[in-house]
């Protein structure tokens, strides 16, 4: 079956002599002519460019999806840190409450004051840690730094 001829237009191009020589050798080796080899080379180049554009678009979609997933995980982590801080403060309070039950209240009447102050401090500590965690995870710049650290293999600052 014979190939149908491709409709073409004539264009003048200027090529270095070594490129012309290489295309002539390629045409002789493939049993084609110079023009067909030039068309094939140009078509392959255009296919590569089209593929590169598609890869850029796909990479952008993947990058956007990963960013959304990481932000969601960051928010979950902030929530877990918040719960952990509250549990820690509750444990601190529970220890004080247990000690308070064991002490003779008549001899240590000021212990209730100490306990109330400790409870306030524990709650203030929990609230501060919660606010710090939310600030860090809702701050886009801090999130970008954390993402870059994970992507670049650097360690994330554990003191955040």
């Amino acid at each position: 079956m014979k190939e149908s001829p491709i409709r073409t237009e004539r264009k003048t191009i200027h090529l270095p002599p070594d490129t012309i020589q290489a295309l002539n050798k390629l045409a002789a080796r493939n049993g084609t002519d110079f023009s067909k080899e030039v068309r094939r080379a140009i078509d392959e180049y255009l296919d590569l460019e089209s593929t590169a554009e598609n890869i850029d678009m796909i990479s952008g979609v993947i990058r956007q999806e990963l960013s959304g997933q990481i932000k969601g995980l960051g928010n979950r982590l902030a929530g877990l840190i918040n719960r952990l801080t509250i549990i820690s403060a509750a444990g601190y309070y529970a220890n004080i409450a247990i000690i308070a039950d064991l002490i003779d209240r008549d001899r240590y009447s000021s212990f209730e004051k100490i306990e109330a102050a400790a409870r306030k401090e524990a709650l203030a500590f929990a609230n501060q840690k919660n606010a710090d965690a939310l600030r860090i995870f809702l701050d886009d710049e801090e999130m970008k730094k954390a993402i870059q650290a994970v992507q670049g293999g650097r360690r994330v600052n554990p003191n955040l």
Side-chain angles (χ1 to χ4, degrees), residues 10-148:
R10 183 177 298 266
K11 293 289 181 187
T12 302
I13 59 171
H14 299 272
L15 300 171
D18 57 336
T19 302
I20 292 171
Q21 186 179 11
L23 286 168
N24 281 328
K25 282 182 182 178
L26 191 59
R29 187 175 51 209
N30 292 336
T32 60
D33 61 13
F34 179 85
S35 295
K36 189 168 186 174
E37 292 302 326
V38 170
R39 283 192 299 272
R40 187 179 59 77
I42 291 172
D43 287 343
E44 286 179 11
Y45 171 78
L46 293 175
D47 284 345
L48 284 173
E49 284 297 310
S50 174
T51 301
E53 288 175 11
N54 289 338
I55 288 172
D56 288 344
M57 189 247 333
I58 291 168
S59 295
V61 169
I62 290 171
R63 208 174 284 114
Q64 183 179 7
E65 183 63 27
L66 283 175
S67 178
Q69 292 295 323
I70 289 172
K71 193 164 197 153
L73 290 173
N75 289 337
R76 284 184 63 199
L77 184 57
L80 290 172
I81 290 171
N82 178 37
R83 288 184 190 109
L84 182 60
T85 304
I86 291 169
I87 290 169
S88 175
Y92 182 72
Y93 169 72
N95 284 337
I96 291 175
I98 290 168
I99 291 169
D101 286 342
L102 296 174
I103 294 177
D104 180 3
R105 293 188 185 270
D106 293 330
R107 283 183 55 189
Y108 301 101
S109 61
S110 65
F111 188 80
E112 284 78 18
K113 292 178 185 176
I114 295 170
E115 179 187 12
R119 214 174 326 149
K120 286 180 185 177
E121 288 293 321
L123 185 58
F125 175 79
N127 286 337
Q128 182 61 47
K129 289 298 181 182
N130 181 35
D132 290 345
L134 288 176
R135 178 187 54 78
I136 288 169
F137 283 102
L138 294 177
D139 183 316
D140 280 342
E141 286 304 313
E142 289 296 326
M143 182 59 76
K144 287 176 187 173
K145 287 178 189 174
I147 290 169
Q148 287 174 350

Side-chain angles (χ1 to χ4, degrees), residues 145-146 149-150 154-160:
K145 287 178 189 174
V150 170
R154 290 182 291 131
R155 292 193 53 166
V156 177
N157 184 356
N159 296 326
L160 291 180

